[in-house]
Amino acid sequence: MERSKILVVDDEKLVRRMIARVLESEGMSIVEASNGLDAVQMAKAQPFDLIILDIIMEGIDGFQVIHQLRSEGMLTPVSILSGRQADNDKVFALGIGADDYITKPMSLQEIKRVLQSLEEKKRQTEA
C-alpha cells in the first residue's frame, strides 16, 4: 500500500516537527512548509493526500491558502490546526472549504482521528 503524503503547514517549527514525527510513526510521508505562500506552491507542484494547515501565519494566512486552493479547483482535504478556538473561525474555515478543524494544543487521538478519516475517504474512492 502506498504511503499517504501529507503537507504540514505551520510557522512554528516545533509544531511542524511534532506533527511530522507522529505522522511518520504512523507510516505517512511528510512534507513541511513554514508559510502559506510555500504551501500553495507546494500543493500546486505535487499531489498530497491531506494538508494540515495553521491559520495565523505571516504573508498569506491559512484562510487565504484554502480560498486560493479551492478557487483553483484543488480538492485535497484540508484540516485546520489552530490556536483560535472561536466558533466563528471554525464555521468560516469549514464554509470556505476546510474539511476539519482541530484546536491547539491537539492530542494524539485528534491527529489519529484525522488519519482514520483520510483512510476511510481513500477506501471509498478506491471502491
Side-chain angles (χ1 to χ4, degrees):
M1 185 163 119
E2 188 176 316
R3 292 173 55 171
S4 292
K5 190 172 184 181
I6 301 175
L7 175 60
V8 177
V9 187
D10 198 301
D11 58 343
E12 296 180 47
K13 186 175 184 175
L14 185 62
V15 172
R16 285 194 319 269
R17 288 307 317 144
M18 184 195 69
I19 295 168
R21 278 192 211 112
V22 169
L23 297 176
E24 288 167 343
S25 74
E26 295 290 324
M28 308 292 161
S29 174
I30 307 304
V31 175
E32 296 179 35
S34 62
N35 61 67
L37 184 57
D38 286 349
V40 170
Q41 291 172 345
M42 290 175 178
K44 288 180 179 181
Q46 57 187 308
F48 290 96
D49 296 299
L50 174 67
I51 298 171
I52 298 178
L53 179 65
D54 188 19
I55 294 175
I56 302 172
M57 297 179 286
E58 288 193 33
I60 65 172
D61 66 20
F63 293 138
Q64 292 167 312
V65 170
I66 294 170
H67 178 74
Q68 191 165 347
L69 296 177
R70 296 303 187 238
S71 68
E72 294 184 23
M74 296 186 73
L75 302 176
T76 304
V78 175
S79 289
I80 294 291
L81 177 62
S82 178
R84 295 171 67 162
Q85 298 182 14
D87 287 341
N88 61 333
D89 288 328
K90 295 174 186 179
V91 169
F92 183 73
L94 296 170
I96 63 170
D99 297 278
D100 201 354
Y101 195 107
I102 301 170
T103 55
K104 293 177 187 175
M106 70 287 183
S107 68
L108 178 58
Q109 289 77 20
E110 288 174 304
I111 295 174
K112 286 187 175 188
R113 179 183 55 79
V114 171
L115 294 174
Q116 289 171 344
S117 176
L118 173 63
E119 289 302 317
E120 287 174 22
K121 286 180 183 180
K122 284 178 85 172
R123 281 194 296 272
Q124 290 173 354
T125 305
E126 293 170 354

